[in-house]
Amino acid sequence: MTKSLLTTLGAVLAILSACLPSHAENITARTIAGSGRAGFDDGAARSASFIMPMGMAYDAAGNLYITDGAAQRIRVMSPNGVIRTLAGGGSPIHGGLWVPGGYADGPGVQARFNRPSGIAVGPDGNIYISDSYNNCIRKMTPDGTVSTFAGNPATPGLLNGPRLTAHFTRPMGLKFAKDGDLYVADADFLRKIDTAGNVSYILVGNQPTDLAIADGTSGPTIFVTGYEGLIVRTPDGKLERWATVEARRAGDHIIQGGKQLGHPFGIVAYNDHQIAYTDVRSDTVRFLDTRYGLERILAGVPNEDASADTGGYVDGSGTAARFNAPMGLALRNDGSILLADAGNRRIRLLSAPDRRGPLMLSADLLGAHEFGPRDYKVALAGNSFVWYNTDWQGSIEGRVERAVSADPRFPSRSLNLHVVPVWGTGRLDATDQYLKSTLSLGLFDAMLLNINAIDIAGSFGLKVSELSRNPGAWQDQLTAKLKSFKADAASARVPVAVVIEPLPNQLAPSEDMWTDLTVTPPTPHDLAFRDLLRAAIKRSGIPTIDLWPAFEADMRSPDHRALYATEDPHYSLHGREIAGAQIARALLRLAPWKNVQR
C-alpha cells in the first residue's frame, strides 16, 4: 500500500460523515434581527430596523458586522443581541426606503458610503467593506473609523498595481484567505489584494457577485458566484463551471437528476466541496456538493424565477419558509446559516443542513468528525447506486441507519450505528482494493458490497447487454474476487455481505420506458442475468442480500410506484425506500455486531 493511500485512508475515520449533525434534516428558518420596518433604529435585535441588509461577517469575539446597503451604514450585532450603527449616515428619502450615497472617510457617523455590500473581518481585526458604487474597498477599525483601503471612487476600472492607485468597478463580495490575501468579487474579474498591498486579477468570467474560500493543505479553493452561475477555482488554478439554465454550455458540470443550479448570489463554504448559497431570483437558499453534483433547496419554494409570487416573509421549515431577495450569508460554528434577507429587512437563521454523503475512493477527504468506541460503522460500497440524487434523509444509508437503530434487536444501548456510503468507480478491482485496505486499518466494523450489472460490465470489459450471452467472461472471475475478499475480511474479523440489485431492464419494460423510447437500439429485456449473478456469488460463500424478490413483488403490486428514475437507471425515492428496508432487515438477521464487546 502506498504512503499516500495510507494517509488518505487514515483520514477517513476522522471525517466519516464530514463533521455532520446526527439529526434527521429539518431545516427551519427563524428571524433573529430586524422588525421589518424600514429604518436604521438601533437597539435590541428584534426591534432594531434595517433598510436593505446585504453582507455579514463575524469577528473572533462573536460580533456580527452587517452592511445595510440602502441605509449606507455599517451595523454590528453583539453576542448579546444588541444592534448599533458603527459607521455611515445620511437622511432617508423616498418614504424611508433609501438613503442617498456619498463618500467620506472619517470617524463613525461622519463617514459616508455608496451601497456598502460585501464585508470581511481581516486577520488584523479591522473590518473591510466593498463600497460598490464608490468603486473602492474601505477599511473600518472596530471603533468605526473609516479609511479608503483600495481603489478610487473617481476612477472606476480594472487597473492593477498598488492598492491605492488600482481601480475597481462595483466591487461586491469580499473574503480573506488564511494567508491574509483579500479576494474581491469585482465587475468582470476576481481581484486579489495581497498582503503587500498589490492588486491583481484572476480571470474567472461570470461577472462575480460574491465568493467563498475553503483553505486546504494544498491551497485555497475559491467559489465564485455570478450572473452565469458558479465557478470553482481549485488550488491548482483549474476552473470548474456550474451554470444557470440560460448560461449552460458544453463542458459545464451537470447536477444529478437534471436539477437546476438556480441563480447563486451570496455564498458560504463548509469545505472544498460543500457550499450553501442564496438564489435571489427564486427566493431560496440552496446547498450544493460539487464533488457529487448534488443540489437541494434548503428553504423556500422550488421554482426558478419566483413568477408564482413565492417571495415573502414566513418563518418555518423547508418549503414553508419564505424569503424576499435573500442576499449575503454567514456561517456559525455549529454549521447553521445566517441570512441577510434584504427584501424583508431582517436577519434570518437557518438550522444546520445535514451534510452527510458518500466517501469516494480517490477523494481528498476533509473534516474533523471523531468516532468514539461506541460507534459501529457499516460501509455500503458500490457504484453510484449507493448514492445518487438524494440527501441523507432519503438515502438508502439513512433509511438503513434509522430502521436498524430503532429495532430492539440492535444493541442501541451499547452501540451507535453509522451506515457509510462508499462511492466507487463502478469497477470491482478499485472497490475491492479500497475495502481490503480499510480492513487492515480497522476503518469499518462491517462491509456490504453493492453489485449490479453495471459493476460487472465495467469490471470485465463487457457491455451490459452482453453479460447474459457471455457468462464465461465474468462468472468465474467474479467468484474468485469475492472469495479473496471474503478471506481477507475473515482475517480482519470484519463481517461482509454482498447486496445484489436489478436494473430496470431486468425487471419489467415499464420500468425502462424512457430508455426504450429514446435509445437506439433499445436495451434488451434481460431475465437471465439475475440467476447467473446469484450462482457466481453463491459459489464464493459470501452472504447475499438479494433485492430482486422485493422489487419483483412491488412490480406485481396493484399499488406499485415507480422504482427507478425516468431518464436514467438509478432508483427513485420509492426504490431507495424498498432497498433500504430490505438491507435493514438483512442486517438485523445477520447481526454482524453480535460478537462486539464495547
Side-chain angles (χ1 to χ4, degrees), residues 560-589:
H560 163 66
R561 289 182 284 157
L563 293 167
Y564 298 89
T566 55
E567 67 172 332
D568 63 52
H570 293 97
Y571 292 138
S572 66
L573 189 64
H574 182 52
R576 294 196 294 274
E577 180 182 21
I578 291 179
Q582 294 305 307
I583 295 171
R585 291 191 188 104
L587 267 182
L588 289 164
R589 184 180 69 252

Side-chain angles (χ1 to χ4, degrees), residues 270-290:
Y270 286 95
N271 49 45
D272 68 349
H273 60 281
Q274 291 180 321
I275 59 172
Y277 58 95
T278 57
D279 183 347
V280 178
R281 184 167 175 178
S282 69
D283 295 313
T284 56
V285 181
R286 303 186 183 219
F287 177 87
L288 174 65
D289 191 319
T290 60

Side-chain angles (χ1 to χ4, degrees), residues 269-349:
Y270 286 95
N271 49 45
D272 68 349
H273 60 281
Q274 291 180 321
I275 59 172
Y277 58 95
T278 57
D279 183 347
V280 178
R281 184 167 175 178
S282 69
D283 295 313
T284 56
V285 181
R286 303 186 183 219
F287 177 87
L288 174 65
D289 191 319
T290 60
R291 183 175 292 179
Y292 315 115
L294 293 169
E295 182 270 354
R296 67 184 189 270
I297 292 177
L298 298 178
V301 178
N303 64 75
E304 295 311 315
D305 60 8
S307 58
D309 296 327
T310 58
Y313 171 65
V314 178
D315 282 339
S317 299
T319 56
R322 295 291 186 275
F323 309 99
N324 184 1
M327 301 192 80
L329 296 176
L331 275 182
R332 301 212 307 186
N333 290 334
D334 62 359
S336 57
I337 304 167
L338 274 183
L339 163 67
D341 194 356
N344 282 317
R345 301 183 284 268
R346 292 174 169 96
I347 306 300
R348 315 280 291 278
L349 177 66

